[in-house]
Amino acid sequence: MIPPPAQCLEEVCDAIDEVNKLKGTPSWDDASTFDADKDKTKFRQYEDACDRVKSFYREQHEKQTVEFNINVRAAFKKTVRARMGIWEAMELLNTLVDESDPDTSVSQIEHLLQTAEAIRRDGKPEWMQVAGLVHDLGKLLHIFGSEGQWDVVGDTFVVGCRFSDKNIYPDTFKGNPDHYDPVYSTEYGVYAPHCGLENVMLSWGHDEYLYNVLKNQSSLPEDALYMIRYHSFYPWHREEAYMHLTNANDQRALEAVRAFNPYDLYSKSDDPIDPEKVKPYYQGLIAKFFPEIIEW
Ligand SMILES: O[C@H]1[C@H](O)[C@@H](O)[C@H](O)[C@@H](O)[C@H]1O
Ligand SMILES: [Fe+2]
Ligand SMILES: [Fe+2]
């Protein structure tokens, strides 16, 4: 049945939800029941974090300049770092211990599987399970030869305009030369008001890298790519910083990322998973959304 023409914004939104339901794209209103029983005060306690986490962020906040971000993107485009499939990439990543993360001591493959399994248990669509499965694979950058962990892991933020004090450890940006730049230190910096996040340079790391690798090498829907690209952008998706740079399209992205976040964060306390047990299931999903070999 063709729905009657919509009268107002609310009806337009309802109509979009209706179409999405038909397509199997979830509406994010009924996002997650998964985090209800989690004690959220146990996660992301940066004030109480160990020195490893604090010094990680000091270094990252001092070194992620506009200049670095322009150069690293140019270098990214020049080469293919490796050729391999998704599962192989997950196994390779397993050697990394993330210095920025106060909440997980499990290996990276386990974190990916815990995220995917939590999404699966909640009855979410296959593409979202896959987003969970791969979302941190960008951390491979560290194995391919990044400068350190500061250009791979951790929360992301905008470069090219004033650093928001909603970032964690905001004082540490005083060590970043951009903090004193006459343009980069202003509210809008190099950006026009509401230019949209796609036109904004986020600090370089596993989100930006993986998004760029997968956008042309998967059949994942746009919402999955938003989840990958913005999952570490806590100052935005949790603290609502940088809203002066977003446009209407980013609203959809925000809903998708917020729907994804509890699975990423709160599954860190779930029971361990044996990769071999779930491998056949996820290899089936991988085959649906990715070519056998990815150019990393
Ligand atoms: O420490 C964590 C970790 O590196 C995650 O992979 C990233 O997405 C988070 O934003 C960050 O806080
Ligand atoms: Fe991540
Ligand atoms: Fe994660």
Side-chain angles (χ1 to χ4, degrees), residues 135-136 139 206-207 231-232:
H135 76 280
D136 274 340
K139 292 179 188 175
H206 65 292
D207 294 29
H231 77 269
S232 306

Side-chain angles (χ1 to χ4, degrees), residues 162-191:
R162 185 184 304 148
F163 299 114
S164 168
D165 56 15
K166 292 186 175 156
N167 288 305
I168 43 184
Y169 309 127
D171 279 351
T172 54
F173 286 107
K174 289 190 185 132
N176 185 312
D178 290 359
H179 177 73
Y180 305 95
D181 184 279
V183 176
Y184 304 155
S185 63
T186 61
E187 188 183 8
Y188 286 95
V190 297
Y191 306 111

